[in-house]
Amino acid sequence: MKRYISMFLMIIICFVLQTTVFTKLRLANVMPNLLVILTASSGYMYGKKLGLFTGFCCGAFVDLMYGDVVGICIFIFALIGYMDGRANNLYFKDDLSVPITAIACSDLAYGLMFYVCHFLMRGRLDVISYIVRVMIPEMIYTMVVGIILYKFLHWLEEKMYPPEEVPLAKGDKAQ
């Protein structure tokens, strides 16, 4: 329960940062998607349930603040959190290649699903232009910020939930 509460607070912080600070830090007219980073990281680090919870909350914030229809971003973020949670068995603390790849793939999946739900259904068929001008620069920017945020999540994990020492049995000796 403590992990869900701390993740909800992280969602609020990332949402506020994304909607205020990072709107001023645009590069190539795109900004990193902190909520995708948080959703992918929580799913990858903690599993399907927390990834789904994080995705649902992130999508709810985006839908309730900016969405015309409530539920589209909830579905997209929840799917991203769940799918990254399935990769939890690949989780290693010291490896950065898999989580950064997961963040990049999650951002691309978010961009494609967002395009389908918001533009393709309205008859805007220039998908190549959207991929080149929006999705790829956003994915690169999200990956760079994702490294920093992922390392911060690891640091926070170690501070909030230190590994417990296993007591030795009576006959065992410390090495």
Side-chain angles (χ1 to χ4, degrees), residues 64-88:
L64 294 175
M65 243 356 225
Y66 300 111
D68 298 332
V69 178
V70 175
I72 293 174
C73 285
I74 291 174
F75 173 73
I76 293 171
F77 277 101
L79 184 64
I80 288 170
Y82 181 78
M83 294 308 289
D84 284 328
R86 292 185 55 103
N88 179 259

Side-chain angles (χ1 to χ4, degrees), residues 140-152:
I140 293 169
Y141 199 7
T142 300
M143 283 174 52
V144 171
V145 174
I147 293 170
I148 298 165
L149 188 59
Y150 185 76
K151 284 293 197 182
F152 175 73

Side-chain angles (χ1 to χ4, degrees), residues 27-89:
L27 294 175
N29 206 22
V30 295
M31 61 184 193
N33 198 333
L34 297 180
L35 298 178
V36 168
I37 296 169
L38 191 62
T39 302
S41 298
S42 68
Y44 178 70
M45 288 171 65
Y46 305 118
K48 294 182 278 192
K49 289 181 183 178
L50 193 63
L52 191 63
F53 169 78
T54 306
F56 179 84
C57 291
C58 289
F61 274 109
V62 172
D63 270 345
L64 294 175
M65 243 356 225
Y66 300 111
D68 298 332
V69 178
V70 175
I72 293 174
C73 285
I74 291 174
F75 173 73
I76 293 171
F77 277 101
L79 184 64
I80 288 170
Y82 181 78
M83 294 308 289
D84 284 328
R86 292 185 55 103
N88 179 259
N89 58 350

Side-chain angles (χ1 to χ4, degrees), residues 1-150:
M1 189 60 167
K2 183 178 170 185
R3 190 166 274 150
Y4 284 89
I5 293 170
S6 63
M7 188 56 67
F8 187 74
L9 293 175
M10 284 290 297
I11 292 167
I12 292 171
I13 291 168
C14 284
F15 181 75
V16 169
L17 284 174
Q18 183 169 332
T19 56
T20 56
V21 174
F22 280 96
T23 57
K24 305 295 183 201
L25 299 174
R26 290 179 178 262
L27 294 175
N29 206 22
V30 295
M31 61 184 193
N33 198 333
L34 297 180
L35 298 178
V36 168
I37 296 169
L38 191 62
T39 302
S41 298
S42 68
Y44 178 70
M45 288 171 65
Y46 305 118
K48 294 182 278 192
K49 289 181 183 178
L50 193 63
L52 191 63
F53 169 78
T54 306
F56 179 84
C57 291
C58 289
F61 274 109
V62 172
D63 270 345
L64 294 175
M65 243 356 225
Y66 300 111
D68 298 332
V69 178
V70 175
I72 293 174
C73 285
I74 291 174
F75 173 73
I76 293 171
F77 277 101
L79 184 64
I80 288 170
Y82 181 78
M83 294 308 289
D84 284 328
R86 292 185 55 103
N88 179 259
N89 58 350
L90 301 173
Y91 176 67
F92 296 106
K93 284 187 176 185
D94 298 330
D95 187 26
L96 269 179
S97 61
V98 177
I100 299 305
T101 304
I103 289 170
C105 292
S106 298
D107 192 59
L108 280 177
Y110 172 78
L112 282 172
M113 288 188 273
F114 188 85
Y115 175 81
V116 167
C117 293
H118 285 94
F119 299 120
L120 190 65
M121 299 256 185
R122 294 182 183 167
R124 298 181 186 166
L125 302 176
D126 197 12
V127 68
I128 301 299
S129 175
Y130 185 76
I131 290 172
V132 171
R133 292 185 181 166
V134 177
M135 286 175 48
I136 292 177
E138 181 182 313
M139 179 195 67
I140 293 169
Y141 199 7
T142 300
M143 283 174 52
V144 171
V145 174
I147 293 170
I148 298 165
L149 188 59
Y150 185 76

